[in-house]
Amino acid sequence: MPKKVVPETERLRRRPTRRGTVLSEKLIVRTALRMLREHGSAGLTARRLGAALGADPSTLYRYFAGLDDLTRAIGEELMGRALDSWTASGKWRADLRSLGLAIHTSYLAHPQAALLTASRVTGRPREIEVDETILGILRGAGFGDVDAVGLYHAFIDLALAFAALDAGALAVKDEARRADENMWTSTYARLPSETHPHIAATAHLLADRMNLSAYPIVLDTLLDRAEAVRSRQSRPKP
Amino acid sequence: MPKKVVPETERLRRRPTRRGTVLSEKLIVRTALRMLREHGSAGLTARRLGAALGADPSTLYRYFAGLDDLTRAIGEELMGRALDSWTASGKWRADLRSLGLAIHTSYLAHPQAALLTASRVTGRPREIEVDETILGILRGAGFGDVDAVGLYHAFIDLALAFAALDAGALAVKDEARRADENMWTSTYARLPSETHPHIAATAHLLADRMNLSAYPIVLDTLLDRAEAVRSRQSRPKP
DNA sequence: GGTTAAGGTCTACGGCGTTGGCATAAGGGA
DNA sequence: TCCCTTATGCCAACGCCGTAGACCTTAACC
């Protein structure tokens, strides 16, 4: 095993691989994202990633402690992209809403990657930056610390949970374009009304609805609650 | 490869394995659940499962088309357990709440299994039964079909999404009892207040809060919204 | 009791993550 | 400018994995 993984910032001797490409954490993560998109979530292997980079698989271990570590770096990348695509307006509710949607969108842009990473806390810089931002919005809006932390928790978990769930649905569609691609029209629409009256009665609505994410609605519901909490507080800032 | 997977109901010739155990879908699924709990989510392999059952690994392919199929059966088992542990009271809000918590609890009882299955739609009987039950509660409470379907969608996705997310947190704790077991006290509590004022100010609250699930709060928020929707309807049933 | 095939076992293949040893060239110091 | 150190690449190998296909054995049925 390589003695040690050298931090990216201290990496000075950049030797090209046999095929001429110069490696870096960023290049590896981006190549991994591309492979996940093209070959599905089972298609990311050290050997394949090495081949795509024109490098020996074992070289990856100079950059990441293992595939698990690489996975965390991918999650960090997605979180960073969400943050980069977001701008603050100064209005707390609008900002929280757009940040939540930015996270959700960023993850769903890479469903297979999202599946691997959305349920992991990485503790890396960009992720911490997101946490700090959310808490800043809430505290800046005048929420007390206890309320702010409670809302922060619900907010971030909701975003990640739906990112993972919706990514799962998308990934299945992308990867296996099988006959059961639309389970809702194939299986559910055929259930007899004697045994499943409620599904039978609403099957046409279900088929439409289940292809959309419930996240925006649930997020708005959470923000409604936040607003209610805030209006109870003494002298809220405007 | 075995010619075909024989459906459990048509399975007649029950031959014991070399070590004397008589196999069945149920026994295999339960053994798999036990292995997941004891050896973590990476510990479930065909060879190990075979060994635990006293059977050759390839025998499993007489019962399931592959590990993927077995995974779906495990999800179905968890959903079935949730349903079995739940009883209807007739009050729609209480029933939805208890059913949501039952699903969440059932999955969290096997975090590693939940991680593998929570983001998959199986289309198997017990899962369909849950869907039918939720729609029945909503339509029975007087919700119109469009509202019922919208709420159903948010409800089931929320339950599964939080099951997966919280299971992830639990599984990490269970599996790798590492130094970073509590990232929230190790990493986050040490961030300097100059760069991360909001995290620093609330670190003590965060550490407590992040070890609980945000699911009950978010669920109640969703039910609040349902109640508001319902009170707008004409002549709601009691 | 003989026949049939369900349901076991055995063997093997290709691929996986990961490791330790080794070669080589990049960069710093003289 | 040239040498030295060592970071960073490559190679070969280990012990796993999922699963396919051939084969064997015995339960169920007439």
Side-chain angles (χ1 to χ4, degrees):
Chain A
M1 163 178 153
K3 306 292 158 52
K4 200 190 164 187
V5 174
V6 175
E8 185 72 6
T9 53
E10 301 168 18
R11 194 173 287 274
L12 298 178
R13 301 189 181 182
R14 301 199 166 269
R15 175 136 79 115
T17 70
R18 174 143 301 188
R19 287 230 311 267
T21 56
V22 175
L23 298 182
S24 68
E25 277 192 14
K26 184 152 278 178
L27 177 63
I28 295 174
V29 166
R30 292 179 164 207
T31 307
L33 275 175
R34 185 159 47 77
M35 294 194 57
L36 281 169
R37 144 136 317 121
E38 287 170 9
H39 301 100
S41 58
L44 180 66
T45 73
R47 287 165 210 267
R48 260 204 273 239
L49 182 52
L53 287 163
D56 188 90
S58 63
T59 308
L60 299 172
Y61 292 82
R62 301 278 184 205
Y63 292 82
F64 300 98
L67 282 205
D68 203 72
D69 194 27
L70 171 61
T71 296
R72 278 196 297 274
I74 292 173
E76 167 81 349
E77 171 76 14
L78 292 182
M79 198 59 99
R81 291 184 182 188
L83 206 48
D84 290 339
S85 77
W86 175 81
T87 51
S89 74
K91 285 176 283 187
W92 70 270
R93 177 164 181 156
D95 282 350
L96 282 181
R97 188 178 144 88
S98 60
L99 181 54
L101 293 177
I103 294 172
H104 190 251
T105 302
S106 170
Y107 275 80
L108 287 205
H110 293 271
Q112 294 86 0
L115 266 186
L116 291 181
T117 62
S119 60
R120 312 212 39 168
V121 176
T122 69
R124 282 170 173 246
R126 305 305 304 274
E127 185 183 296
I128 291 179
E129 203 179 330
V130 167
D131 299 332
E132 174 72 11
T133 300
I134 298 167
L135 282 168
I137 293 173
L138 288 167
R139 302 214 309 152
F143 286 96
D145 282 357
V146 172
D147 286 335
V149 166
L151 285 168
Y152 154 78
H153 182 200
F155 177 87
I156 190 65
D157 277 17
L158 196 67
L160 291 175
F162 269 94
L165 190 81
D166 294 332
L170 270 187
V172 165
K173 270 197 202 167
D174 280 9
E175 287 184 21
R177 304 194 175 273
R178 295 169 189 156
D180 63 336
E181 178 167 345
N182 38 9
M183 179 95 67
W184 283 103
T185 53
S186 63
T187 301
Y188 281 61
R190 281 160 215 223
L191 292 171
S193 63
E194 303 92 57
T195 58
H196 299 84
H198 302 295
I199 290 177
T202 55
H204 58 293
L205 292 171
L206 285 171
D208 290 345
R209 173 69 72 150
M210 294 312 277
N211 286 324
L212 295 175
S213 171
Y215 177 62
I217 287 180
V218 179
L219 173 60
D220 282 334
T221 308
L222 180 68
L223 294 176
D224 284 347
R225 162 171 289 225
E227 207 141 18
V229 165
R230 184 160 171 276
S231 67
R232 284 205 315 269
Q233 308 218 335
S234 61
R235 287 281 112 214
K237 301 180 191 174
Chain B
M1 167 181 159
K3 306 290 160 53
K4 200 191 164 185
V5 174
V6 176
E8 186 73 5
T9 53
E10 300 168 18
R11 196 174 285 273
L12 299 177
R13 301 190 180 181
R14 299 200 166 269
R15 173 136 81 112
T17 71
R18 173 142 301 188
R19 287 228 313 267
T21 55
V22 174
L23 299 181
S24 68
E25 276 192 14
K26 184 154 277 178
L27 178 62
I28 295 175
V29 167
R30 291 176 167 211
T31 306
L33 274 175
R34 186 159 47 78
M35 294 193 58
L36 280 169
R37 141 132 326 117
E38 288 170 9
H39 301 100
S41 59
L44 179 66
T45 72
R47 287 163 210 269
R48 262 205 270 240
L49 183 51
L53 288 162
D56 188 90
S58 61
T59 308
L60 298 172
Y61 292 83
R62 302 274 185 206
Y63 291 83
F64 300 97
L67 283 205
D68 202 73
D69 194 27
L70 171 61
T71 296
R72 278 195 298 273
I74 292 172
E76 167 81 348
E77 171 76 13
L78 293 182
M79 199 57 100
R81 291 184 183 189
L83 207 47
D84 290 339
S85 77
W86 176 81
T87 51
S89 74
K91 286 177 282 187
W92 71 269
R93 178 166 180 153
D95 283 350
L96 282 181
R97 189 180 143 89
S98 60
L99 182 54
L101 293 177
I103 294 171
H104 191 251
T105 302
S106 170
Y107 275 81
L108 286 205
H110 292 272
Q112 295 85 0
L115 266 186
L116 292 182
T117 63
S119 60
R120 312 212 39 170
V121 175
T122 69
R124 282 170 173 244
R126 305 306 304 274
E127 184 183 296
I128 291 179
E129 205 178 329
V130 168
D131 300 332
E132 175 71 11
T133 301
I134 298 166
L135 282 168
I137 293 173
L138 288 167
R139 301 216 308 152
F143 287 96
D145 282 357
V146 172
D147 285 335
V149 166
L151 286 168
Y152 155 78
H153 183 200
F155 177 88
I156 189 65
D157 277 15
L158 197 66
L160 290 176
F162 269 95
L165 190 80
D166 294 333
L170 271 186
V172 166
K173 270 195 201 167
D174 281 8
E175 287 185 21
R177 305 194 176 275
R178 296 171 189 155
D180 63 338
E181 179 167 347
N182 39 8
M183 180 96 70
W184 283 104
T185 54
S186 63
T187 301
Y188 281 59
R190 281 158 215 220
L191 292 171
S193 63
E194 303 91 56
T195 58
H196 300 84
H198 302 295
I199 290 177
T202 56
H204 57 294
L205 293 170
L206 285 172
D208 290 345
R209 173 69 74 148
M210 294 313 276
N211 286 323
L212 295 175
S213 172
Y215 178 61
I217 286 180
V218 179
L219 174 59
D220 282 333
T221 307
L222 179 67
L223 294 176
D224 285 347
R225 161 170 288 226
E227 207 141 19
V229 165
R230 184 161 171 278
S231 68
R232 283 205 315 268
Q233 308 219 335
S234 59
R235 287 280 113 212
K237 301 179 191 175

